[in-house]
Amino acid sequence: MQKILPAFSSIKQFERFLVSDYGIGVFLETHISQLGNLHKLAEQHHKKIIYHVDLIHGLKSDDFATEYICQEYRPYGLISTKSNVILKAKQKGVIAIQRMFLIDSHALERSYRLVEKTKPDYIEVLPGAMPWMIKEVKERTQTKILAGGLIRTVEEVEKALEAGADAITTSKKELWNFEK
């Protein structure tokens, strides 16, 4: 997987991604009515899209919505905080990314239990600007890590990757040019 995963929530940002050298991008927020056009444009430009299921307006992030997205749009991957979405994505052969918020110890332990249950392909750790937590999560779960949220500089990208992140998700277009 590439080291930077451009993340976007607007058509303008998506269009910038389409003409970039990146092959994989993350659509953070969209409306169900846009999925068909987004899918067509991505295919035309030979791009792979990861959708954040919890942020698709007009769809409830449940088993049925996940199955619909997988069958209708064949995404490269799906991100969610919900175990049923992760399990259904895996069942459908789509890369499953469990989003983990590093809010406090209680939330962290709950997330560890969820990861044990779902066994996602990746965990997206937010905020990703805490390298010591990236290292801990990777060691404890033995799962590939995406770091996202509040990564604002090249130095923070480098520290997250050094701590064990496999890639960085970022909407900060200045970081889309990062080369490791």
Side-chain angles (χ1 to χ4, degrees):
M1 185 178 278
Q2 63 201 36
K3 293 297 179 193
I4 296 289
L5 295 172
F8 30 83
S9 55
S10 74
I11 297 300
K12 187 174 183 173
Q13 293 167 328
F14 179 59
E15 288 170 344
R16 185 175 290 124
F17 161 72
L18 290 176
V19 297
S20 76
D21 291 335
Y22 289 109
I24 305 167
V26 180
F27 223 109
L28 296 173
E29 188 171 9
T30 190
H31 190 276
I32 185 174
S33 65
Q34 293 180 322
L35 289 175
N37 288 332
L38 299 175
H39 175 71
K40 282 183 202 171
L41 285 169
E43 276 192 337
Q44 288 171 359
H45 289 84
H46 309 289
K47 303 291 184 174
K48 297 175 182 175
I49 302 295
I50 299 169
Y51 291 104
H52 191 308
V53 178
D54 303 349
L55 299 177
I56 298 176
H57 302 288
L59 273 183
K60 182 178 177 183
S61 54
D62 62 10
D63 296 9
F64 301 110
T66 305
E67 190 165 354
Y68 169 75
I69 293 167
C70 290
Q71 289 177 348
E72 193 68 25
Y73 303 110
R74 299 174 307 280
Y76 181 70
L78 295 177
I79 298 174
S80 182
T81 58
K82 299 183 176 168
S83 60
N84 58 330
V85 171
I86 299 304
L87 293 169
K88 183 59 77 172
K90 288 182 65 155
Q91 179 187 5
K92 293 295 181 182
V94 171
I95 291 177
I97 304 165
Q98 180 80 49
R99 195 169 241 201
M100 177 187 280
F101 291 104
L102 304 176
I103 300 169
D104 58 26
S105 297
H106 179 71
L108 182 62
E109 288 304 317
R110 190 174 59 238
S111 292
Y112 283 144
R113 287 192 301 275
L114 192 61
V115 165
E116 248 179 64
K117 175 183 171 186
T118 61
K119 301 193 182 333
D121 299 303
Y122 289 85
I123 298 169
E124 184 184 33
V125 174
L126 288 102
M130 298 183 350
W132 64 94
M133 288 304 302
I134 292 169
K135 183 177 176 148
E136 177 186 313
V137 171
K138 186 162 189 153
E139 286 174 358
R140 179 142 173 204
T141 64
Q142 298 298 303
T143 304
K144 295 177 184 176
I145 302 292
L146 304 178
L150 300 178
I151 296 177
R152 298 178 178 155
T153 66
V154 169
E155 293 77 28
E156 290 170 333
V157 168
E158 290 170 341
K159 285 179 182 176
L161 292 170
E162 288 167 9
D166 294 277
I168 308 299
T169 58
T170 182
S171 58
K172 191 167 178 67
K173 61 183 181 282
E174 296 82 8
L175 296 178
W176 289 12
N177 297 322
F178 175 81
E179 294 286 332
K180 178 84 173 161

